[in-house]
């Protein structure tokens, strides 16, 4: 009789332990599921934010811009270097000079002084980091070594294609997400004919 009761008691203990283990497994799965959903939602929000700022950058640079000569020294102006689907060389050169200006050499609309790249982000109205580059019809990056990628210093001075740029961003910065946006314009590097070649303007945006 007592032996029978002991067996029932032990069996009940086993069932209780099994129930606790099952509940623990269910709770862990629920936590992982919620975390997974949260990560997906957060990642989607980050990508949407990057896409929005990338579009803002592209819309700005595809305009002629305002007061390009005072982008660094002044507190007004709007970055842009394309008019009638053609790159305006004067404004483009002013943009390159701005983002390549190091040290606290540009005026800060709030107070004090800042570097040119930070000033460009203020003029563009963005919080993300960015680079801008250009490709010819063969996909090669246009420009001289050291003057091919404009914006954040990604640690590569002479990329030959977009893969070199994206790999440098991944390896040297390692952002969780990044977005690429492309626009097209004519770029005239030969002042003789005044026509120019169709090139692709690439914009890559990310957050640290």
């Amino acid at each position: 009789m007592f032996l029978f009761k002991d067996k029932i008691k032990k069996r009940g203990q086993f069932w209780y332990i099994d129930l606790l283990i099952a509940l623990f497994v269910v709770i862990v799965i629920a936590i992982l599921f919620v975390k997974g959903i949260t990560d997906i939602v957060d990642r989607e929000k980050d990508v949407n934010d990057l896409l929005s700022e990338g579009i803002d950058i592209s819309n700005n640079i595809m305009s002629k811009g305002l007061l390009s000569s005072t982008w660094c020294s002044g507190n007004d102006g709007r970055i842009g270097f394309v008019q009638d689907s053609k790159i305006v060389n004067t404004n483009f050169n002013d943009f390159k000079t701005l983002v390549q200006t190091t040290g606290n050499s540009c005026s800060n609309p709030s107070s004090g002084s800042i570097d040119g790249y930070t000033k460009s982000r203020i003029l563009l109205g963005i919080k993300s980091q960015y680079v801008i580059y250009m490709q010819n019809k063969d996909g090669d990056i246009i420009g001289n070594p050291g003057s091919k990628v404009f914006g954040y210093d990604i640690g590569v001075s002479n990329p030959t294609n977009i893969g070199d740029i994206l790999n440098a961003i991944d390896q040297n910065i390692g952002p969780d997400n990044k977005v690429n946006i492309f626009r097209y314009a004519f770029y005239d590097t030969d002042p003789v004919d005044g026509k120019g070649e169709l090139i692709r303007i690439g914009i890559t945006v990310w957050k640290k």
Side-chain angles (χ1 to χ4, degrees):
M1 181 70 175
F2 291 107
L3 181 60
F4 180 71
K5 287 183 177 180
D6 287 341
K7 288 183 178 179
I8 293 177
K9 185 177 180 180
K10 288 181 180 179
R11 183 177 298 175
Q13 289 175 343
F14 289 142
W15 278 105
Y16 181 70
I17 293 173
D18 290 342
L19 178 61
L20 289 179
I21 293 174
L23 286 175
F24 177 75
V25 171
V26 170
I27 291 172
V28 170
I29 292 174
I31 292 173
L32 293 176
F33 177 77
V34 171
K35 185 179 184 302
I37 293 297
T38 302
D39 289 344
I40 291 173
V41 172
D42 290 344
R43 185 175 188 276
E44 184 177 357
K45 182 180 182 304
D46 286 344
V47 170
N48 287 337
D49 290 344
L50 291 174
L51 182 60
S52 177
E53 293 207 335
I55 292 173
D56 288 342
I57 294 173
S58 70
N59 288 340
N60 271 281
I61 67 174
M62 292 300 290
S63 70
K64 183 182 179 181
L66 293 172
L67 305 174
S68 66
S69 62
T70 60
W71 283 342
C72 178
S73 60
N75 292 326
D76 297 315
R78 185 181 73 244
I79 290 179
F81 47 80
V82 176
Q83 185 178 26
D84 298 328
S85 300
K86 186 176 181 180
I87 290 178
V88 181
N89 287 329
T90 299
N91 286 23
F92 183 46
N93 291 333
D94 287 339
F95 171 73
K96 291 190 288 186
T97 299
L98 173 65
V99 296
Q100 292 173 344
T101 299
T102 58
N104 296 326
S105 303
C106 296
S107 65
N108 188 340
S110 298
S111 63
S113 56
I114 51 179
D115 64 273
Y117 170 67
T118 301
K119 181 64 177 291
S120 74
R121 291 171 63 214
I122 293 174
L123 292 175
L124 289 168
I126 63 169
K127 296 180 180 179
S128 304
Q129 310 297 329
Y130 77 92
V131 289
I132 293 175
Y133 43 92
M134 298 180 178
Q135 297 173 275
N136 62 21
K137 61 182 180 180
D138 297 319
D140 301 324
I141 303 298
I142 299 172
N144 298 318
S147 187
K148 286 187 172 184
V149 184
F150 309 103
Y152 191 96
D153 183 5
I154 59 174
V156 59
S157 62
N158 190 29
T160 58
N161 54 58
I162 186 174
D164 293 341
I165 295 173
L166 299 183
N167 287 336
I169 294 173
D170 289 337
Q171 294 175 7
N172 300 332
I173 302 166
D176 291 332
N177 302 300
K178 62 181 180 294
V179 170
N180 303 312
I181 293 176
F182 301 100
R183 304 292 291 268
Y184 293 84
F186 288 94
Y187 186 26
D188 187 11
T189 56
D190 178 10
V192 177
D193 58 17
K195 295 180 180 180
E197 297 181 358
L198 182 65
I199 56 101
R200 185 168 81 163
I201 304 173
I203 305 160
T204 300
V205 185
W206 71 92
K207 289 182 181 178
K208 287 185 179 180

